[in-house]
Amino acid sequence: MVIIDKIKSIFTLKNHNQLSNLSNRSAFSKWFGFGGFGYNHIEEKKLISEGYLSNEDVFSVIDKLVQTSASIPFCLYEKKADEWIKVEDDNNSLYSLLNKPNQDQTNKEYRIEQYTNYLLTGDSFELKDTALGFTVPTSLYILPSQFLEPSTVTNQRFFDQPKSYIFSYAGYRTEYEAEQLIHSKKLDPSYPQDRKGLSMLQPSYLALDTSNQVHKAEAHMIENRGATGMISSDSKEGYPMTAEERDELDAQLKNRIGGANNYNKTVTTSQNVKFTQLGSNLKDLMLDQIDLNKLRKFCNIYGMSSQLFNDPANKTFNNLAEAKKSLYTEAAIPLAQTFVDNWNENLIPIFNERDNKQYYIKLDTEKIEVLQKDKKMEAEKSKIMIEAILPLAEKVSIGTLDRNSAIQILIYTYKVTEEEAELLIPSAPVTENIQDNE
């Protein structure tokens, strides 16, 4: 199942019932004082439509993060005695569920949809579907959060959570109890009454709107400007054109000079001519720099380096290598860990109770190549350190090198702390002078 096609199909349906704005987020945020700072809640559907589905920079950033995060494997463990043993038994229903959440999606496809919903709307709702005759979930499904609203938000105390949610889509309306759902959300500090999360595109909406305007300007520049100039008649004779003649000339001119195939060309005529510059070039308008700045903003919002997206600034091998590593440590791993934690909190206990066992899900980061390089370097440094310490310690122990000198060598040559050096170098041997008492 291709996630982009699924989202597009949702937004092209004409018969979709619009949900009422039960949460009244804008009013609630202003009640808390956020309205005074320009906070204006943008509907989730609008953020998805104008962002992920219409802006190539937003799509690229989110897709990069989602694909990377969904590729990080996780393992299921079972506690036996005092050890956690990895579960790899296809007959284990929990193991099978995690690897094949439902009949339509693989583990990676499911996680891509899960993470995409979360990054676009600030929420992820997983339906724990239990087949007839079973006491534990037999399938997991993602419910698009833009079509979910709590059943009621009135007369609700601050710490009360919604008891059920209404899912409205394509004319159908279904109510799900809160216990049937696993809700992962990003904190919205305006605390809307619907208790839903904050889309990361919400605080960056002005950047998103500007970016879309830049892209439209670039498209119109190519469509309407085309050629850089025109050679036209320089004759002083004749009468002014009529409105009809002017309109006809405009149409013919656009037909001749418009379009990408005429970009940066000069068009000529067979008459007495003069040259006229048309429009401004991309550099004059600074559209490329504005576009790059917006790309950097989107990367900042999602915790990624813009160098992963061909940002020319400081684009060296070392910087790119660091950017690839930070993609995992600062963005992809924390994103995946959010959902692993929620599974351990809201899914695992159900199977623990049924099987009378202790299960645990853990991300497996040992196979991430860019992170293993650092571990390999650390291992090599440790080996060099050990090879240096042993001779120094031996010399101190036999009295051929004083302990203070050995400690100073470790501190200034191998950059260890004074406390570490004190522990690594043994105390100097104590020499006792024994005198015979005669």
Side-chain angles (χ1 to χ4, degrees):
M1 183 180 297
V2 181
I3 181 64
I4 185 67
D5 291 336
K6 189 170 183 179
I7 295 178
K8 281 184 176 178
S9 69
I10 289 173
F11 280 92
T12 53
L13 283 171
K14 294 182 180 179
N15 296 324
H16 168 64
N17 283 355
Q18 297 294 325
L19 289 175
S20 60
N21 186 14
L22 297 174
S23 61
N24 193 14
R25 288 187 172 203
S26 298
F28 200 72
S29 63
K30 289 179 181 178
W31 186 80
F32 268 91
F34 287 88
F37 294 95
Y39 174 74
N40 181 29
H41 175 72
I42 309 299
E43 291 297 325
E44 296 165 333
K45 297 173 191 176
K46 185 175 183 180
L47 292 175
I48 295 173
S49 180
E50 295 184 8
Y52 192 73
L53 297 180
S54 302
N55 188 292
E56 62 266 34
D57 290 335
V58 173
F59 174 85
S60 298
V61 171
I62 292 179
D63 189 62
K64 178 78 169 179
L65 176 52
V66 166
Q67 294 287 343
T68 303
S69 189
S71 298
I72 301 173
F74 59 80
C75 300
L76 175 65
Y77 292 89
E78 178 188 344
K79 191 172 185 180
K80 293 184 177 180
D82 293 329
E83 291 187 72
W84 287 96
I85 308 300
K86 185 184 295 186
V87 177
E88 297 177 302
D89 182 8
D90 290 330
N91 294 320
N92 184 297
S93 58
L94 175 56
Y95 177 81
S96 298
L97 178 65
L98 294 174
N99 283 280
K100 182 71 174 174
N102 58 66
Q103 62 180 359
D104 298 322
Q105 293 177 301
T106 64
N107 170 277
K108 186 174 182 179
E109 288 173 334
Y110 180 86
R111 293 169 71 189
I112 287 173
E113 184 175 8
Q114 183 183 39
Y115 299 171
T116 302
N117 268 268
Y118 179 78
L119 293 177
L120 287 173
T121 68
D123 294 284
S124 169
F125 289 92
E126 300 175 75
L127 173 62
K128 297 178 287 186
D129 191 41
T130 303
L132 186 64
F134 288 82
T135 58
V136 297
T138 52
S139 299
L140 296 173
Y141 294 95
I142 299 297
L143 295 177
S145 53
Q146 65 268 32
F147 300 129
L148 273 169
E149 290 287 349
S151 56
T152 178
V153 294
T154 58
N155 299 321
Q156 178 176 282
R157 294 183 301 175
F158 182 79
F159 293 106
D160 288 345
Q161 296 298 319
K163 295 181 179 180
S164 63
Y165 288 86
I166 304 298
F167 181 71
S168 300
Y169 174 71
Y172 293 94
R173 188 174 183 273
T174 306
E175 184 172 3
Y176 295 103
E177 297 297 322
E179 291 76 14
Q180 294 178 268
L181 305 174
I182 301 176
H183 183 195
S184 303
K185 69 176 180 179
K186 187 170 186 65
L187 173 67
D188 185 341
S190 70
Y191 294 101
Q193 288 179 297
D194 62 7
R195 295 297 191 269
K196 294 180 75 174
L198 175 69
S199 168
M200 295 185 184
L201 290 177
Q202 173 70 60
S204 61
Y205 182 72
L206 289 179
L208 172 61
D209 187 50
T210 303
S211 178
N212 285 337
Q213 295 300 325
V214 168
H215 295 163
K216 288 178 183 177
E218 290 173 337
H220 285 303
M221 175 182 276
I222 297 294
E223 179 183 359
N224 297 321
R225 176 172 178 264
T228 59
M230 176 184 66
I231 305 298
S232 60
S233 174
D234 195 29
S235 174
K236 305 297 183 182
E237 300 176 358
Y239 296 96
M241 288 185 292
T242 66
E244 291 77 10
E245 290 173 332
R246 181 198 62 201
D247 292 342
E248 182 180 355
L249 183 59
D250 285 344
Q252 292 178 359
L253 180 62
K254 184 175 181 180
N255 184 55
R256 284 202 68 194
I257 72 172
N261 59 319
N262 285 320
Y263 191 75
N264 210 35
K265 285 184 179 179
T266 299
V267 179
T268 61
T269 74
S270 60
Q271 305 298 320
N272 293 328
V273 296
K274 64 179 180 180
F275 180 78
T276 304
Q277 177 74 33
L278 299 177
S280 302
N281 59 41
L282 187 64
K283 185 175 181 181
D284 292 338
L285 295 176
M286 297 182 65
L287 294 182
D288 54 345
Q289 186 60 45
I290 295 174
D291 202 22
L292 181 57
N293 288 338
K294 300 312 170 190
L295 171 63
R296 290 169 180 167
K297 286 182 180 291
F298 297 140
C299 288
N300 286 339
I301 284 289
Y302 289 100
M304 303 166 66
S305 171
S306 60
Q307 292 180 16
L308 296 168
F309 302 92
N310 301 314
D311 186 342
N314 300 320
K315 193 173 182 180
T316 66
F317 177 80
N318 288 336
N319 289 337
L320 185 58
E322 286 298 313
K324 288 180 178 179
K325 185 174 72 172
S326 68
L327 169 61
Y328 282 95
T329 58
E330 303 297 324
I333 292 176
L335 176 62
Q337 189 64 51
T338 296
F339 296 96
V340 166
D341 290 344
N342 231 342
W343 280 343
N344 282 324
E345 182 72 21
N346 297 289
L347 181 65
I348 293 299
I350 301 173
F351 287 86
N352 286 345
E353 184 178 354
R354 186 201 65 172
D355 298 343
N356 195 26
K357 295 179 179 179
Q358 283 186 273
Y359 293 112
Y360 182 74
I361 305 172
K362 182 181 178 182
L363 289 177
D364 182 8
T365 60
E366 297 297 323
K367 298 178 182 178
I368 301 175
E369 185 178 353
V370 293
L371 301 183
Q372 303 317 308
K373 291 179 180 179
D374 286 346
K375 291 183 178 180
K376 184 178 179 181
M377 291 177 61
E378 289 298 324
E380 291 175 351
K381 288 180 181 178
S382 297
K383 182 180 178 182
I384 294 172
M385 183 74 69
I386 292 171
E387 291 176 349
I389 292 171
L390 290 177
L392 291 174
E394 184 178 356
K395 290 180 180 180
V396 171
S397 63
I398 63 176
T400 59
L401 179 67
D402 69 275
R403 185 169 183 265
N404 187 58
S405 296
I407 289 174
Q408 296 304 310
I409 291 173
L410 287 182
I411 293 173
Y412 294 105
T413 303
Y414 296 98
K415 308 302 180 184
V416 302
T417 66
E418 184 175 351
E419 292 76 11
E420 290 171 337
E422 292 277 356
L423 294 173
L424 292 170
I425 300 300
S427 299
V430 178
T431 304
E432 296 183 357
N433 294 322
I434 303 176
Q435 296 181 346
D436 294 333
N437 296 323
E438 296 181 351

